[in-house]
Amino acid sequence: MARVVVLGAGVAGHTTATFLQKWVGNEHEIVVVTPNSQWNWIPSNIWVGVGAMKPEEVTFELEPVYTDLGATFKQAKAVSINPEGGSESDKPFVTIEFTGQGKDGESEDITYDYLVNATGPKLNFGATPGLGEGSNLGEHTVSVCTFGHAEHANEELQKLIEEMRSLPDGEKKNIVIGTGHGMCTCQGAAFEYIFNVEHALNVAGVRDKAELIWISNEYQLGDFGMGGMHLDRGGYLTGSKIFTESIFAERGLKWITQAHTEKVTADTIYYETLDGEHHEVKYDFSMLIPPFAGVGLKAYDKAGEDMTAKVFAPNGFMKVDADYTPRPYAEWRAADWPRTYQNPDYKNMFAAGIAFAPPHFISKPMKSANGTPINPTPPRTGMPSGIIGKTVAESIKDMLNGAAEPTHTASMAEMGAACVASTGMGLLDGTAAAMTVFPVVPDFEKYPETGRDQKLTFGEVGLAGHWIKHILHHMFMYKAKCKPGWTLIPE
Amino acid sequence: MSETESKIINTVAYEQDYFPPKPTSTTKFFRTCKIWQFFRFVSINLKMLKVVAASHH
Ligand SMILES: Cc1cc2nc3c(=O)[nH]c(=O)nc-3n(C[C@H](O)[C@H](O)[C@H](O)COP(=O)(O)OP(=O)(O)OC[C@H]3O[C@@H](n4cnc5c(N)ncnc54)[C@H](O)[C@@H]3O)c2cc1C
């Protein structure tokens, strides 16, 4: 009997663990290590952040699901990996520290035959002075990255709405939403949040008392960390800049792009732009996405020497089968992107979802006149994270059955992503921007004009997108709970 | 029209949100027209399923 240890039960890890348990759980042991007792459908945190959903509608307890399936659940965080074993045995192991199950703070070494690192991002608030300390959100701005953050964001938003109700005519509150650093990803989440906040203000009847300002490290609106995309609009292949600006302009939102948030104080966001100028914008309420980093796992060799730099990239994400050779933007190719997510040095180790180290950005790297990098880092959204998680599970299943190499591939240059950004909740009057892009990483060898398959890349605004967003919420919660037929729901 | 008013109008014309395309009333109507959106719902779902199918190898 072999043991597969999955670190992290988010979109990627939960997909890997549940499929492995279903396919090989009778013959092998599947162990899931994750620090939170609850699973969270993160995309719906946006609705928690405006009070349209309660945290309990976007979460559920993980342990009963794993117990029912027959997998072992450990509420703990992984601290380090010893892929070569230790002084007493060659058997690789991972060291974990419990965060629940009545064993808080206790450590345990778990040996493994296969390890999947799906630990997602460290929310690196500490990278921007005033945004927070380490992975802890600071006191000035809010976040929607966890359901707890989103609940707090809504409390602050409701306080602001109350203040706005008694504002004298002509006075406005400044609401600033976007990215909290020049190297952020996840612009889509902030994009969705600003429109949901706008909708909440409309519903509360105080929209005219707010100035809504978008701040982002994107070169232009609609980049989304993917170098933008082209959509067929009125017979033209139109850049996503036009599509996105149109949505902002229609709703009277202002936007600041090419911005690195340098510092945040109680009422001011200081930022540098690509031209090297320094600016500031005042705010009364602000949600800024932090930059992401790896969660800080360490790696040790057999002698106990630190070899973190061998296993992880400098940003803390795990190295996989990508081509990490540094090359100028013009020479980036689709083939640089990983396909199997296997670690090149330790073949029984994989990284899935946000936890794998991308070979480079997708958007063109930019530096300000002062040398400050200002560009989005690559997004690894829900659909790619789920597909990668399942692909890794398929390969491990086959390797457990004797395959010498990973048998399945899922390059982000060969897969698409769907994003539905809702703007409000009404089932009859809500609208959403529904977008798909294929592939996520543009392949200019295959699609020379735009890098994308234009038949599979589209975007439109309407009520239908809103219905789809609702259905996706219920479908993915159902699937994650492993209810009857869950495997039929695609990632 | 006073001099001040004409200045304000000219400034508005060069504001950030002046240049992007804005939906016409017909576009807005179809965005929330239930019958039309039902067909869009079917169409978008089919497109998304195609993307999903093309992404699984
Ligand atoms: C507000 C918001 C809205 C979003 N909306 C969308 C959307 O509409 N569509 C979309 O496609 N994507 C969306 N995304 C992105 C999507 O949530 C991510 O792509 C996805 O969650 C990534 O999956 P993952 O498994 O890599 O990471 P996560 O889902 O973050 O999971 C990581 C897991 O690892 C655990 N972990 C952390 N540290 C350790 C450790 N040391 N040891 C063990 N476990 C650990 C965490 O607790 C967590 O369970 C959104 C993201 C945010 C923040």
Side-chain angles (χ1 to χ4, degrees):
Chain A
M1 185 199 242
R3 180 183 289 151
V4 184
V5 177
V6 180
L7 307 179
V11 173
H14 190 59
T15 306
T16 309
T18 48
F19 274 106
L20 273 175
Q21 181 62 36
K22 178 182 156 57
W23 292 329
V24 296
N26 287 338
E27 308 97 72
H28 303 288
E29 189 190 2
I30 312 300
V31 180
V32 181
V33 175
T34 198
N36 296 320
S37 62
Q38 286 172 316
W39 192 83
N40 175 205
W41 176 237
I42 297 174
S44 296
N45 288 354
I46 300 293
W47 286 336
V48 176
V50 292
M53 272 194 181
K54 298 259 170 268
E56 46 278 20
E57 291 174 84
V58 301
T59 53
F60 63 83
E61 285 294 322
L62 271 171
E63 190 163 7
V65 174
Y66 286 124
T67 308
D68 277 0
L69 287 176
T72 307
F73 174 74
K74 299 208 184 246
Q75 194 190 332
K77 62 174 190 214
V79 181
S80 59
I81 307 170
N82 284 57
E84 300 168 357
S87 52
E88 282 153 33
S89 157
D90 290 341
K91 190 92 184 160
F93 65 91
V94 54
T95 303
I96 66 167
E97 194 181 294
F98 279 88
T99 55
Q101 296 176 313
K103 298 188 205 169
D104 293 48
E106 279 178 35
S107 279
E108 185 182 331
D109 292 343
I110 314 175
T111 57
Y112 63 81
D113 297 282
Y114 289 92
L115 182 77
V116 181
N117 171 18
T119 46
K122 167 187 169 186
L123 304 174
N124 197 12
F125 292 102
T128 305
L131 201 61
E133 289 290 328
S135 54
N136 295 321
L137 171 67
E139 58 187 324
H140 303 315
T141 57
V142 300
S143 151
V144 286
C145 290
T146 69
F147 63 89
H149 287 170
E151 192 178 24
H152 165 249
N154 178 49
E155 284 161 15
E156 295 300 313
L157 179 66
Q158 297 311 323
K159 278 188 218 162
L160 183 85
I161 289 176
E162 278 316 306
E163 285 174 33
M164 287 162 92
R165 289 191 205 280
S166 49
L167 266 189
D169 277 353
E171 274 189 36
K172 287 188 177 191
K173 295 278 187 189
N174 263 8
I175 297 179
V176 183
I177 292 172
T179 53
H181 192 274
M183 299 273 281
C184 281
T185 179
C186 220
Q187 289 78 12
F191 171 86
E192 195 174 355
Y193 191 58
I194 197 168
F195 289 106
N196 273 268
V197 167
E198 203 248 347
H199 179 80
L201 300 180
N202 272 320
V203 171
V206 293
R207 175 64 185 89
D208 58 330
K209 303 227 160 107
E211 191 75 83
L212 279 138
I213 304 163
W214 171 256
I215 185 165
S216 162
N217 57 348
E218 296 158 290
Y219 183 71
Q220 54 192 21
L221 281 187
D223 182 283
F224 294 121
M226 302 183 297
M229 55 188 156
H230 284 75
L231 310 165
D232 184 347
R233 314 288 305 165
Y236 289 81
L237 286 183
T238 309
S240 48
K241 172 183 192 275
I242 309 272
F243 178 71
T244 316
E245 283 188 355
S246 170
I247 299 175
F248 274 68
E250 181 191 344
R251 289 158 200 265
L253 272 58
K254 297 206 169 354
W255 60 94
I256 300 164
T257 50
Q258 308 181 0
H260 160 61
T261 301
E262 294 178 288
K263 189 172 82 168
V264 179
T265 62
D267 63 357
T268 310
I269 294 163
Y270 295 85
Y271 64 96
E272 178 185 345
T273 42
L274 269 181
D275 56 13
E277 297 286 317
H278 296 270
H279 310 263
E280 54 186 75
V281 56
K282 295 270 178 211
Y283 72 90
D284 299 287
F285 174 90
S286 175
M287 196 295 289
L288 296 177
I289 298 273
F292 291 174
V295 297
L297 296 180
K298 295 270 179 205
Y300 298 104
D301 67 11
K302 192 158 172 57
E305 294 295 320
D306 192 325
M307 56 160 189
T308 307
K310 181 178 172 186
V311 175
F312 295 93
N315 54 14
F317 296 121
M318 188 181 263
K319 290 183 195 164
V320 291
D321 62 320
D323 183 348
Y324 294 107
T325 317
R327 289 194 189 88
Y329 173 73
E331 291 171 27
W332 290 356
R333 294 160 310 143
D336 301 342
W337 286 78
R339 297 172 64 75
T340 64
Y341 302 89
Q342 186 184 42
N343 180 266
D345 296 307
Y346 302 99
K347 304 287 183 190
N348 59 348
M349 228 161 56
F350 293 79
I354 292 178
F356 84 81
H360 42 63
F361 301 151
I362 302 175
S363 303
K364 188 175 178 179
M366 307 261 178
K367 277 197 171 137
S368 78
N370 310 315
T372 311
I374 307 182
N375 42 234
T377 48
R380 277 144 291 162
T381 54
M383 187 170 149
S385 297
I387 292 177
I388 294 168
K390 187 172 180 187
T391 301
V392 166
E394 284 172 315
S395 286
I396 292 178
K397 173 193 71 174
D398 291 344
M399 290 168 86
L400 284 166
N401 290 330
E405 294 291 330
T407 49
H408 286 71
T409 62
S411 164
M412 280 180 49
E414 292 166 11
M415 77 168 84
C419 174
V420 187
S422 76
T423 56
M425 286 284 283
L427 275 175
L428 296 179
D429 60 358
T431 54
M435 290 176 263
T436 65
V437 59
F438 188 96
V440 178
V441 174
D443 184 344
F444 288 98
E445 284 163 296
K446 208 163 173 188
Y447 313 106
E449 199 177 357
T450 63
R452 304 270 167 43
D453 181 339
Q454 290 305 146
K455 286 196 202 79
L456 298 178
T457 302
F458 74 94
E460 72 176 66
V461 178
L463 185 56
H466 189 67
W467 293 336
I468 293 171
K469 182 86 188 174
H470 270 272
I471 292 170
L472 289 180
H473 167 87
H474 294 290
M475 223 166 69
F476 287 122
M477 289 293 288
Y478 183 92
K479 178 179 164 110
K481 288 177 185 168
C482 298
K483 296 220 171 152
W486 65 273
T487 52
L488 301 174
I489 299 171
E491 285 65 51
Chain B
M1 189 184 285
S2 77
E3 202 181 300
T4 337
E5 277 172 330
S6 69
K7 258 188 204 156
I8 290 166
I9 289 162
N10 281 336
T11 311
V12 167
Y14 278 81
E15 287 285 311
Q16 199 176 36
D17 63 0
Y18 177 70
F19 300 100
K22 303 237 179 68
T24 59
S25 50
T26 318
T27 303
K28 281 187 181 168
F29 169 78
F30 278 111
R31 276 183 186 173
T32 47
C33 165
K34 275 115 214 141
I35 299 164
W36 176 244
Q37 287 298 315
F38 172 76
F39 290 108
R40 297 311 304 147
F41 177 77
V42 175
S43 163
I44 297 172
N45 270 304
L46 287 174
K47 283 187 194 177
M48 284 189 171
L49 283 174
K50 268 196 212 165
V51 173
V52 169
S55 301
H56 283 77
H57 299 282

